[in-house]
Amino acid sequence: MTSGWTQHEGHAIVLPAHNVDTDQLIPSRFMSTPRDEGYGKFLLHDLRRDADGNEHPHFPLNRFRNASILVAGRNFGSGSSREAAVYALVDAGIRAVFAPSFGDIFSSNAINNGMLPAQISPADHITLIGLLNETSMRAQICLEESHISIGDCRIGFELDQTWRTKLINGWDDIDLTLQRSQDIKKHKKNLEQSTPWILPTANRQRC
């Protein structure tokens, strides 16, 4: 279980690239590192640094180290299903990513780790890019009303209601399932009574 949240205030920046995949978010050679050591230092490693490991000074995340909100291009988080890509973002302090589209598995992993994958329209994406204009601005996110506010601009985003519930409560898939534990037990009991022949013999003897 992660820490739930309903509102977040932080600095937003633009990551001006489409199709940023999970291998770019965290190259596979870093995935043997123990999770408790943190993956934030590996985030976008090969884009942020040159072959000698020196940082590119103009890369957005190198210029604005306190950013917690990314405005990214379409198809963000595509590629493999590695959850480590989300770990790298979360460990680097990223709380939300706004983009016109996301990789499906990436989005699910993001929700399970308390990070918002906020889908916005292409027009609103252009608006945010123009508003930020290669700089960093203070922004506020409201999960309950599904919008981000930057200055006088307020932009809505799409978010599945179940995903919203998980983010607000800090739940992953297991936590969400446990909320229905009584219904599951009731269903199992009814099943045992109405169709006992479908249960394994050992289970029937215990009933």
Side-chain angles (χ1 to χ4, degrees):
M1 180 178 289
T2 61
S3 299
W5 60 284
T6 57
Q7 297 189 33
H8 172 71
E9 183 172 350
H11 287 89
I13 62 171
V14 173
L15 184 63
H18 297 295
N19 303 309
V20 174
D21 62 30
T22 53
D23 191 52
Q24 291 173 299
L25 287 169
I26 181 167
S28 60
R29 64 186 183 276
F30 298 121
M31 290 173 56
S32 60
T33 300
R35 175 73 173 90
D36 58 9
E37 291 185 13
Y39 281 17
K41 57 184 173 291
F42 305 131
L43 176 63
L44 295 165
H45 183 279
D46 294 349
L47 297 180
R48 297 176 70 171
R49 296 170 174 81
D50 61 24
D52 295 322
N54 301 311
E55 291 186 348
H56 297 299
H58 300 297
F59 192 83
L61 285 169
N62 294 336
R63 293 176 60 201
F64 308 109
R65 297 183 183 278
N66 62 342
S68 60
I69 303 168
L70 293 183
V71 178
R74 62 180 178 273
N75 206 27
F76 187 85
S78 57
S80 72
S81 60
R82 67 184 65 170
E83 194 169 9
V86 174
Y87 296 162
L89 286 158
V90 171
D91 290 353
I94 303 302
R95 204 60 185 263
V97 179
F98 287 75
S101 57
F102 293 89
D104 291 339
I105 298 177
F106 171 86
S107 294
S108 180
N109 287 337
I111 294 293
N112 286 333
N113 286 277
M115 192 185 78
L116 168 66
Q119 185 170 347
I120 54 178
S121 70
D124 286 338
H125 181 246
I126 292 173
T127 297
L128 283 179
I129 290 176
L131 187 64
L132 292 170
N133 193 27
E134 298 187 3
T135 188
S136 171
M137 292 184 67
R138 200 78 179 167
Q140 298 83 35
I141 299 171
C142 177
L143 285 182
E144 293 176 324
E145 298 182 7
S146 295
H147 69 248
I148 180 172
S149 299
I150 302 179
D152 296 328
C153 181
R154 175 178 290 189
I155 289 176
F157 57 85
E158 296 182 17
L159 184 64
D160 177 86
Q161 183 57 44
T162 299
W163 284 5
R164 187 194 327 277
T165 299
K166 290 170 72 174
L167 282 176
I168 289 175
N169 290 281
W171 293 343
D172 60 15
D173 289 336
I174 295 175
D175 296 315
L176 184 65
T177 301
L178 289 175
Q179 307 310 307
R180 305 298 299 273
S181 59
Q182 293 304 313
D183 292 334
I184 293 170
K185 290 178 181 178
K186 182 178 179 181
H187 174 73
K188 181 181 178 182
K189 184 176 181 179
N190 291 338
L191 199 64
E192 290 170 347
Q193 293 174 346
S194 61
T195 56
W197 62 86
I198 70 172
L199 297 174
T201 302
N203 284 359
R204 291 204 301 269
Q205 291 174 347
R206 287 199 298 267
C207 294

